[in-house]
Amino acid sequence: MKRNTKLTAIAFLLAFLSASFLFAQDEAEPVMPAFETLNLIDNQTTANPYKGQLILEIQHRFSQIKEIDDLFGIFGSANTRIGFSYGITDKIMLGFGTTRNYMLQDLEWKYSILTQNSKIPVSLSYHGNAVLDARNKKYFGPEEDYQFAYRMSFLNQLIVSTRIGNRISLQAAPTFVYFNAVPEGYNNANAAINFGGRFQVLGFHSIIVEYDQPLIQPELSENYIYPNVALGVEIGTSTHAFRVFASNYNAIIRNHGVAFNSNNPLDGDFQFGFNISIRF
């Protein structure tokens, strides 16, 4: 049988190029991430550092806005957290921070499960932490009953985010928090669902909002847990992000915000705060 090797080679090449073109058409195209910062305000986003990237976070909260003589809380007692987060891989983050109130030392981690693209409409991340309350052991009940484990609390959450068009980003995060020891009348196990959004108004500058709805209330009505509400603006550059906002809570670590917020947003119990993110 006579074979035309040249025509066979040409046909094979055309088939290969056609298949490559169809496969390329079928590949998902990347989209801009919903969020560029690890935290929106106080809630984690689906963003992660790149492999080898180090991010410094400075989070500062003034006291409640009450009187003009304390300059609307700026001269009052403040709460501050300084934290570092490092990209182990492009998908895995490890971080450590220290917070003034309650002398909290936190170890946190985050794993990117899904990344939004032209075929996948959302990003999905798992975030967790372990937090040590380093205050004097007298704060943990009678000395004879003291155990080191009473100092610990833990958070686990799944974060789902999506970018809608060029300006709108939204996220939601069902959250579970557990304290090994709590004051009388509060819950060891706590749950909430956290919502967040960002609307870009000019370049990297945005309006940002957060709302955390508690799902479990203590048995004692006087220990009622109120939602966490925050509204502010974000100013971004290629290496920095600066956020200034007002919130009805002073806790920076979400464990405490979910379990103990006693400030009713309808009563105007707000304070100013700011975050600074620096990428290295």
Side-chain angles (χ1 to χ4, degrees), residues 69-189:
D69 59 1
D70 69 354
L71 199 58
F72 301 107
I74 293 178
F75 291 154
S77 178
N79 187 22
T80 302
R81 177 182 180 269
I82 299 176
F84 291 92
S85 299
Y86 182 74
I88 304 298
T89 71
D90 289 341
K91 290 181 173 291
I92 300 174
M93 178 202 84
L94 189 65
F96 173 78
T98 182
T99 303
R100 178 184 181 274
N101 284 6
Y102 300 100
M103 300 177 65
L104 300 179
Q105 317 301 316
D106 65 274
L107 177 68
E108 62 180 355
W109 51 88
K110 186 161 52 176
Y111 174 65
S112 296
I113 301 170
L114 293 175
T115 300
Q116 183 178 0
N117 57 41
S118 59
K119 290 184 173 294
I120 303 174
V122 299
S123 293
L124 176 65
S125 292
Y126 159 71
H127 171 247
N129 73 22
V131 179
L132 170 70
D133 185 332
R135 293 177 297 166
N136 190 286
K137 64 182 181 180
K138 70 181 181 180
Y139 293 100
F140 302 94
E143 185 174 352
E144 61 272 15
D145 296 332
Y146 169 78
Q147 295 182 33
F148 182 84
Y150 293 164
R151 298 178 177 275
M152 301 300 300
S153 66
F154 306 90
L155 175 145
N156 289 280
Q157 62 182 178
L158 285 174
I159 311 167
V160 183
S161 73
T162 186
R163 187 182 185 96
I164 303 172
N166 294 322
R167 295 183 180 273
I168 299 175
S169 298
L170 302 173
Q171 72 171 31
T175 302
F176 178 78
V177 172
Y178 189 84
F179 283 81
N180 284 345
V182 293
E184 192 69 31
Y186 286 91
N187 299 319
N188 295 94

Side-chain angles (χ1 to χ4, degrees), residues 1 5 18 33 46 61 76-77 79 112 129-131 134 162 166 170 197 200 215 234 236 238 256 274:
M1 181 181 292
T5 55
S18 298
T46 49
R61 308 292 176 269
S77 178
N79 187 22
S112 296
N129 73 22
V131 179
T162 186
N166 294 322
L170 302 173
Q200 290 183 262
L215 301 178
E234 178 183 82
S238 59
H256 283 249
F274 66 82

